[in-house]
Amino acid sequence: MSIDQNLVLVEVLTASGCGRCQKARSLAQETVAELNNARIQYREINVVEEIDYAVQLGVLSTPAIALNGELVFPAPPSKAKLRLAILERLEGA
């Protein structure tokens, strides 16, 4: 997947039947909404439907969060850690 260098793509990798996935989804959606920056894009990925991409990222379990096509959080982070990771990538873009 090609990523615009001026954007930060936040991807939440989930699976059906995953009990913790809704919490990770909400965490990512809330963090993106609070940052309110047009350069941040949000995408949910069902690992079953996009297994090749999940394997490419190195996802071993769900939920997981990738930023700009890189698996940054193999397990849900705190909101503060996710926010910081997004902001660091915005500044570096």
Side-chain angles (χ1 to χ4, degrees):
M1 169 175 286
S2 176
I3 298 167
D4 183 329
Q5 295 305 309
N6 294 319
L7 297 175
V8 175
L9 177 61
V10 178
E11 296 173 303
V12 178
L13 295 104
T14 65
S16 57
C18 166
R20 298 181 310 147
C21 289
Q22 182 55 46
K23 184 176 179 185
R25 254 188 232 109
S26 296
L27 168 79
Q29 289 170 336
E30 288 171 15
T31 304
V32 168
E34 287 171 8
L35 290 170
N36 193 25
N37 188 313
R39 292 172 45 213
I40 303 171
Q41 294 184 343
Y42 174 82
R43 178 176 179 237
E44 285 180 29
I45 298 170
N46 182 313
V47 295
V48 174
E49 294 171 5
E50 297 190 44
I51 188 69
D52 291 341
Y53 184 60
V55 168
Q56 177 187 331
L57 288 176
V59 174
L60 299 176
S61 64
T62 57
I65 298 177
L67 301 176
N68 288 351
E70 174 190 355
L71 181 61
V72 178
F73 299 106
S78 67
K79 185 182 276 192
K81 286 184 180 180
L82 178 58
R83 180 185 180 92
L84 180 62
I86 293 170
L87 288 173
E88 285 173 348
R89 281 157 182 79
L90 279 175
E91 290 170 4

